[in-house]
Amino acid sequence: MKKLISRWRASRRQSTVETSAANTSDGSIARHPLPGVPFCASGDTLMGGKEYNVEVASAPSNPDLSMSTSASPPGAVGDANTVTKLKSNCWSAWLQKGEALLRMGQLQAAEEALQKALELAEIIDKPKVQKRLDDLQSQHEVGSLLCDNEPAAHATLPDDSSDHKSTLDHNTLMAKLLPSDPDLDTLAQAHYTWNIADWKAMQKRELGPVFECGRWPWRIICFPSGNNVDNISLYLSHAYEEGQEPSDWYACVQFAIVLWDPQAPSQYIARDAHHRFTVDEPDWGFTDFCRNEDKDNCLKRCGAMSITVYLRLVKDPTGVLWHNFYKYDSKKETGMVGLTRRGTLCYLNTTLQSLYNITAFRKVIYNIPSETGTPSDFVSELQALFRSLETSDSAVSTMGLTASFGWHGREFIPEDICEFWRVLMMSLQRRLQGTSVQRSLSDLFVGKSCTYLLRGGDLGHKLSEEEFWHLDLKIRDNSTLQCSFDEITAPSPGSNSSNSGTIRVRKFETLPPVLCLQLQRAALDTNQKRVVKLYDSFEFGLEFDATRYIWPGATTSEPWLYQLIGVIVHDGDALTGKHYCFLRPGKEEPFYRFENEQVNRATIKEAVNANFGCGSLRSQSQGEKPSAATAVMLLYLRKSRLNDLFMQ
């Protein structure tokens, strides 16, 4: 190594050439101090003062030495470009370019330059380049290093707490770091800058000045040497004195913290987050805001530093926005309780909650006569469970019901929710046979479809009719609910020679008051040779007009309009996952999410749009991970019957 250094210094001495700004084509190297002096001498002087951390140009004839990182990042890029024009295989020039672009926040261009440097570097130098690439990858993942090369020219704004002028364009930076969410309404927003005269003189934990946003007091908390870590730690906190917080106080806040150099405001490090601030959780932020070396690389090493926080207080549309559900009381917040989870029985809980939610179904269950002399009658257990859901203040156990099914101990076999729904309905219908209410369940859930021969545009001979308790809808190649119904009722050729020249068509003679639609999200992947879950996008609306799918001769005294009241969701893949549901407990009620013990209010986006799915079978075969949460069953109620179905 010493011999290599000696040869390097000798090569610098041998190539001393008088060069100035006048004889450079683009002026990039001539930006260096001491113009007109041989580059070799300038380099020795500046390196002695530690102003350069890579070689200074010795002469254009020796481009390997035409390097500088003491200039601004754009200048360093210009220097590196000059070198690569003279010698394209100069790995150190590509390295300098990558490091400078990294400081400027141009991560993609920096990665390309560093990859080029890694390709050209000698074996002994590759670890140095690889370390820079690893640093860049970590910034890609965390997204914390956001260094702009130029400040906004029009943004010379007064600082919040002193006469110092900041060249940060606060409106532009806030829009960049905290893009507005169209689903959230802004209550208030603000920014505040804490100017620190001497960073190194700060205590282990420093509280910033108090400022106001949304009539509430806030402050920044800074651990310059880290909060039990080696990195800088920064937090946002409310500034109420302990015990002085308003009763049941909370605030939903989107915020970003920016650490920047007051001498070069265009160089900064930023992190953003959101949090539900409460009395129990008064602060939130970043224990690993950034490494000290990131601060030194991105920001100039000076005593003065500034920290700006951007806040946006948003309206909580459901009462549980960003809630951690610690000490959450479903009964208190919603008036409803959940079901305790046991093993893999979340599909059972989801089915029971969905049916219990329809008060007309609840009435049917209560009216089923109990079987005398039967110690574990599942109908009696179901009746008791429903009564507990009405009266209990906490989650209700399903142990008695599952025992009546013959499910004992931990011998639970995971079931498909659609299959369990069918088995439960058929079991209940068998219990109703021979009773005074034997038609009460089928009156809610059974519809009828008929297949006709179509001749000359008219429905001719009825070929068959079929009753159904639910409809299985194909989602592959069908992007909407209407597309699936179009496929069910699409004309098809006659099935035999006697019907040649005719086509068959399926129409619905009647649809039930409670329309249960089961979505076919399982398919055989021939590439993987196994059953996979379909994540294909399948859209459905809050209302469904079934008029065009009804046989023209059907009763039309009531419109065939349906309202969505239930979305049953599976979150996972074909082998694993969980079920939960979104239900409306009344025709004017919002959606609520039911997941085992927990019940909370939900938005329409959470209940509907978020469960359309967005992947495809092809994307799974290619190893892509689609959104796992998709609707697997929909419950629609006929709008003209809502008062009867949701009877009190």
Side-chain angles (χ1 to χ4, degrees):
M1 181 63 71
K2 290 183 178 179
K3 290 182 179 179
L4 288 173
I5 295 173
S6 298
R7 285 201 298 270
W8 171 75
R9 289 196 176 276
S11 67
R12 295 185 64 209
R13 297 297 187 274
Q14 292 167 4
S15 30
T16 344
V17 178
E18 296 272 341
T19 311
S20 66
N23 49 15
T24 60
S25 59
D26 61 1
S28 57
I29 295 180
R31 286 195 298 271
H32 298 167
L34 307 178
V37 180
F39 286 158
C40 179
S42 300
D44 285 341
T45 302
L46 293 168
M47 288 182 71
K50 297 183 178 179
E51 294 179 330
Y52 282 66
N53 58 15
V54 186
E55 306 88 345
V56 179
S58 174
S61 61
N62 192 350
D64 283 328
L65 306 179
S66 303
M67 306 291 292
S68 167
T69 56
S70 65
S72 65
V77 172
D79 292 351
N81 286 337
T82 300
V83 175
T84 55
K85 287 178 184 177
L86 297 170
K87 188 176 180 181
S88 60
N89 64 347
C90 177
W91 74 269
S92 53
W94 289 106
L95 173 62
Q96 174 174 296
K97 181 177 180 179
E99 290 176 330
L101 290 169
L102 185 59
R103 294 176 64 197
M104 294 162 61
Q106 299 180 22
L107 302 187
Q108 183 174 354
E111 183 173 8
E112 294 173 357
L114 291 174
Q115 289 287 3
K116 186 70 173 178
L118 185 64
E119 176 186 338
L120 297 171
E122 298 292 338
I123 294 178
I124 193 173
D125 299 307
K126 286 185 182 293
K128 177 181 179 181
V129 183
Q130 187 61 55
K131 183 179 185 304
R132 297 293 187 273
L133 272 170
D134 293 341
D135 292 342
L136 181 144
Q137 291 297 332
S138 66
Q139 290 175 31
H140 265 306
E141 294 171 1
V142 177
S144 62
L145 193 56
L146 304 169
C147 307
D148 289 344
N149 60 324
E150 295 292 341
H154 61 282
T156 304
L157 305 176
D159 188 79
D160 301 281
S161 57
S162 73
D163 295 331
H164 172 73
K165 298 291 183 178
S166 167
T167 56
L168 285 177
D169 181 343
H170 293 300
N171 292 332
T172 300
L173 195 55
M174 185 167 191
K176 177 180 180 180
L177 298 175
L178 299 177
S180 59
D181 187 336
D183 297 315
L184 297 175
D185 296 329
T186 299
L187 299 176
Q189 64 183 32
H191 65 267
Y192 181 81
T193 298
W194 175 16
N195 290 315
I196 301 167
D198 189 351
W199 180 268
K200 294 183 179 179
M202 295 179 72
Q203 301 297 317
K204 176 177 175 58
R205 179 176 182 268
E206 292 277 359
L207 301 179
V210 176
F211 62 95
E212 186 176 289
C213 180
R215 303 188 309 278
W216 297 324
W218 303 90
R219 63 160 35 114
I220 302 168
I221 303 177
C222 176
F223 293 79
S225 299
N227 183 13
N228 296 320
V229 295
D230 294 331
N231 303 326
I232 296 172
S233 304
L234 293 174
Y235 306 89
L236 175 66
S237 174
H238 75 65
Y240 285 111
E241 294 294 333
E242 186 174 356
Q244 299 301 312
E245 306 93 339
S247 177
D248 295 327
W249 178 86
Y250 75 91
C252 296
V253 183
Q254 298 171 317
F255 67 96
I257 300 177
V258 182
L259 178 65
W260 54 283
D261 184 347
Q263 295 184 15
S266 62
Q267 306 299 315
Y268 63 87
I269 300 173
R271 299 288 299 273
D272 63 271
H274 60 256
H275 183 61
R276 185 185 186 91
F277 289 85
T278 65
V279 175
D280 293 328
E281 290 192 355
D283 53 63
W284 197 256
F286 314 97
T287 300
D288 293 301
F289 180 83
C290 72
R291 300 175 300 177
N292 280 289
E293 53 264 37
D294 286 340
K295 176 181 76 70
D296 293 338
N297 289 336
C298 184
L299 313 175
K300 290 186 176 180
R301 302 188 184 193
C302 60
M305 298 292 290
S306 294
I307 305 174
T308 297
V309 60
Y310 297 88
L311 297 85
R312 179 183 294 124
L313 276 62
V314 298
K315 184 179 180 180
D316 182 0
T318 61
V320 292
L321 180 64
W322 306 326
H323 205 300
N324 64 6
F325 295 103
Y326 177 64
K327 297 182 179 179
Y328 180 78
D329 187 334
S330 295
K331 185 74 171 186
K332 175 183 177 183
E333 300 296 335
T334 67
M336 295 172 282
V337 297
L339 295 168
T340 57
R341 178 177 179 178
R342 299 174 56 228
T344 58
L345 295 183
C346 54
Y347 72 91
L348 169 71
N349 293 353
T350 300
T351 301
L352 295 176
Q353 289 282 21
S354 300
L355 292 170
Y356 170 83
N357 183 57
I358 304 170
T359 50
F361 176 83
R362 214 182 307 166
K363 181 180 178 181
V364 170
I365 297 302
Y366 290 154
N367 287 335
I368 299 177
S370 299
E371 288 186 344
T372 58
T374 304
S376 57
D377 175 30
F378 86 92
V379 171
S380 299
E381 293 292 345
L382 186 59
Q383 292 170 341
L385 185 144
F386 278 6
R387 291 192 181 96
S388 295
L389 285 174
E390 289 181 349
T391 60
S392 177
D393 291 329
S394 59
V396 176
S397 173
T398 60
M399 189 173 295
L401 181 63
T402 56
S404 70
F405 291 162
W407 300 350
H408 300 289
R410 296 187 178 182
E411 298 174 358
F412 297 142
I413 302 175
E415 297 277 352
D416 172 70
I417 190 169
C418 297
E419 180 63 24
F420 176 72
W421 182 286
R422 290 191 287 268
V423 170
L424 179 62
M425 286 295 179
M426 293 303 100
S427 299
L428 290 171
Q429 183 63 14
R430 284 195 295 270
R431 280 295 307 275
L432 287 168
Q433 294 301 319
T435 70
S436 59
V437 290
Q438 63 179 357
R439 293 286 308 169
S440 57
L441 191 63
S442 58
D443 287 345
L444 291 178
F445 290 95
V446 173
K448 182 187 291 186
S449 66
C450 299
T451 302
Y452 297 87
L453 286 178
L454 186 63
R455 297 177 183 273
D458 296 325
L459 291 177
H461 176 64
K462 181 190 293 188
L463 294 176
S464 63
E465 63 180 30
E466 177 186 7
E467 288 190 343
F468 60 88
W469 288 74
H470 66 274
L471 289 174
D472 290 317
L473 299 184
K474 179 182 174 185
I475 67 166
R476 181 183 284 182
D477 301 324
N478 291 322
S479 59
T480 66
L481 180 60
Q482 287 75 15
C483 289
S484 287
F485 268 84
D486 287 342
E487 183 178 65
I488 290 175
T489 58
S492 60
S495 60
N496 54 54
S497 58
S498 64
N499 290 328
S500 100
T502 64
I503 57 176
R504 300 160 49 121
V505 64
R506 181 184 182 187
K507 289 289 184 179
F508 293 101
E509 197 167 286
T510 182
L511 289 174
V514 181
L515 181 59
C516 175
L517 306 176
Q518 298 184 359
L519 310 185
Q520 297 177 2
R521 287 202 172 273
L524 177 64
D525 185 341
T526 55
N527 293 327
Q528 301 184 55
K529 294 182 174 58
R530 64 183 180 90
V531 175
V532 298
K533 178 181 175 180
L534 295 180
Y535 298 92
D536 301 51
S537 178
F538 184 82
E539 298 185 9
F540 47 90
L542 294 174
E543 292 188 351
F544 173 57
D545 186 351
T547 304
R548 62 177 170 150
Y549 308 111
I550 304 297
W551 174 54
T555 303
T556 57
S557 58
E558 301 175 44
W560 295 100
L561 298 177
Y562 283 79
Q563 179 175 307
L564 181 68
I565 62 98
V567 180
I568 297 176
V569 177
H570 178 261
D571 187 354
D573 57 27
L575 299 177
T576 61
K578 62 180 180 178
H579 288 91
Y580 51 89
C581 58
F582 295 91
L583 304 172
R584 299 178 69 172
K587 64 178 182 178
E588 303 296 335
E589 291 287 333
F591 279 101
Y592 289 84
R593 173 172 171 152
F594 292 77
E595 183 173 358
N596 298 317
E597 293 88 351
Q598 184 178 302
V599 184
N600 61 267
R601 187 172 171 180
T603 64
I604 291 177
K605 179 180 179 180
E606 292 169 333
V608 181
N609 304 66
N611 301 303
F612 288 159
C614 62
S616 65
L617 191 60
R618 180 182 178 186
S619 68
Q620 293 181 70
S621 299
Q622 295 174 346
E624 299 177 14
K625 185 177 181 181
S627 174
T630 55
V632 294
M633 189 184 299
L634 307 175
L635 292 176
Y636 282 89
L637 301 188
R638 195 169 181 179
K639 293 188 69 174
S640 58
R641 307 282 183 91
L642 284 175
N643 289 334
D644 295 332
L645 296 170
F646 280 132
M647 68 181 103
Q648 297 301 317

